[in-house]
């Protein structure tokens, strides 16, 4: 992201992690200068497509815990693809 910022190029990452605010990795994403938006997902309100869906009995599974979605963007990406609450719906 830093290189994209310096070059004036749009770059965006959407990172989904467990909601563990006490963990350094979660705090690093939260405090990143590139963090433009955050979306909190309650455990009961979301799930995942299993990575091994080709050999598992079910394709989807309920999330085990709350999750946080971090939107990390360069400045030009923020202009091109603004992460706004309206788009989260």
């Amino acid at each position: 992201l830093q290189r994209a910022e310096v070059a004036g190029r749009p770059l965006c990452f959407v990172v989904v992690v467990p909601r563990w605010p006490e963990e350094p990795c979660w705090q690093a994403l939260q405090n990143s200068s590139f963090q433009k938006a955050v979306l909190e997902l309650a455990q009961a309100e979301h799930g995942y497509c299993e990575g091994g869906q080709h050999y598992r009995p079910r394709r989807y599974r309920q999330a085990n815990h709350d999750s946080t979605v971090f939107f990390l963007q360069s400045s030009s990406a923020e202009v091109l693809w603004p992460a706004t609450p309206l788009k989260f719906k």
Side-chain angles (χ1 to χ4, degrees):
L1 277 165
Q2 185 64 43
R3 289 171 75 183
E5 185 69 27
V6 170
R9 310 264 332 247
L11 184 61
C12 177
F13 291 96
V14 179
V15 183
V16 182
V17 295
R19 187 179 189 291
W20 294 337
E22 66 282 354
E23 295 295 327
C25 56
W26 191 95
Q27 293 169 13
L29 290 166
Q30 175 68 32
N31 297 326
S32 170
S33 61
F34 296 105
Q35 187 263 97
K36 306 302 181 186
V38 176
L39 179 62
E40 299 288 344
L41 302 173
Q43 180 268 330
E45 297 176 2
H46 76 291
Y48 297 93
C49 180
E50 291 275 16
Q53 71 268 17
H54 56 285
Y55 63 84
R56 295 193 188 273
R58 294 185 343 215
R59 181 174 184 169
Y60 302 103
R61 77 174 173 87
Q62 184 71 37
N64 294 336
H65 39 68
D66 295 349
S67 295
T68 306
V69 182
F70 291 101
F71 296 83
L72 307 175
Q73 298 178 307
S74 64
S75 296
S76 56
E78 186 178 17
V79 171
L80 281 174
W81 313 300
T84 61
L86 181 61
K87 291 186 178 189
F88 298 158
K89 295 181 181 202

